Amino acid sequence: MTSGNFSSDDLAFKRLRDLRTVLLKLHKALMEAEKESYEQVNGPIRSKGEYFQLVIGHEWFNWLRPISQFIVQMDEVLMAREPQPVEKANELLVAARTLLQTSETGTVLKERYQVAAQHDPSIAVMHAKVSELLEE
C-alpha cells in the first residue's frame, strides 16, 4: 500500500473503510451459509420477518452477533458527525484482528468462522482479503 499524499491518519480511516466494505460482504456470506445450515436442520424459513427474528434472537445465529455489533461500531466511527481521532480507527483495526482470527479452538465465533471458511471458498477468499487489510 503506498501512502502517496495521504497522512497516516487518512490511511487508518481508509483501511477501516476498506475493511468495512469487505466485512459487510463477508458477514452477508456467513449469514447466508448459516441460513442454509439452519434450514437443512429445521426446514425452510417462511418469510423475511421470520428470518430476521431468528437472526436477532435464535441461539443458532448467536455466533454472528459479535460481527454485526462490530460493523455497527465501525459505522459509528466512520459516519460520526464530528471528526474522530485516528486512535479510534486504529483501535477498531486491532479489535478486528482479534475478532476475526480463525481458530479450531477458542470462542464459538472463531470455531464456527473457521468451519465456514473451510467449507465455502467464497468465505475463504473474503477472509483472505480481510486478513490482508489487517496486516500491520
Side-chain angles (χ1 to χ4, degrees):
M1 190 182 305
T2 61
S3 58
N5 294 327
F6 294 108
S7 71
S8 61
D9 291 6
D10 293 336
L11 288 175
F13 283 102
K14 181 185 181 324
R15 284 178 66 201
L16 192 61
R17 282 189 298 276
D18 292 347
L19 175 63
R20 180 188 179 277
T21 299
V22 176
L23 192 54
L24 282 171
K25 291 176 186 172
L26 175 60
H27 184 257
K28 182 178 180 184
L30 291 168
M31 295 290 292
E32 285 300 315
E34 262 328 276
K35 179 182 178 198
E36 288 175 19
S37 178
Y38 177 89
E39 288 179 326
Q40 286 175 353
V41 172
N42 299 291
I45 297 171
R46 295 180 301 275
S47 68
K48 288 181 181 180
E50 179 184 3
Y51 178 50
F52 178 73
Q53 290 303 314
L54 288 169
V55 167
I56 63 169
H58 196 281
E59 66 185 46
W60 190 283
F61 296 89
N62 278 352
W63 73 276
L64 290 166
R65 289 193 195 109
I67 298 172
S68 305
Q69 292 164 349
F70 186 73
I71 291 169
V72 169
Q73 289 176 334
M74 293 172 70
D75 287 346
E76 288 172 351
V77 169
L78 290 171
M79 297 174 191
R81 290 183 181 192
E82 299 294 321
Q84 298 293 300
V86 70
E87 291 80 21
K88 292 234 181 186
N90 288 326
E91 287 171 9
L92 287 170
L93 292 167
V94 168
R97 283 184 202 100
T98 302
L99 179 69
L100 299 172
Q101 291 173 336
T102 57
S103 173
E104 292 179 10
T105 59
T107 65
V108 173
L109 182 146
K110 291 179 182 188
E111 292 171 7
R112 300 278 295 270
Y113 184 49
Q114 174 75 24
V115 169
Q118 289 174 341
H119 286 91
D120 188 325
S122 67
I123 290 173
V125 167
M126 285 182 264
H127 172 72
K129 287 180 183 178
V130 166
S131 297
E132 185 179 310
L133 286 168
L134 293 174
E135 286 178 359
E136 291 188 62

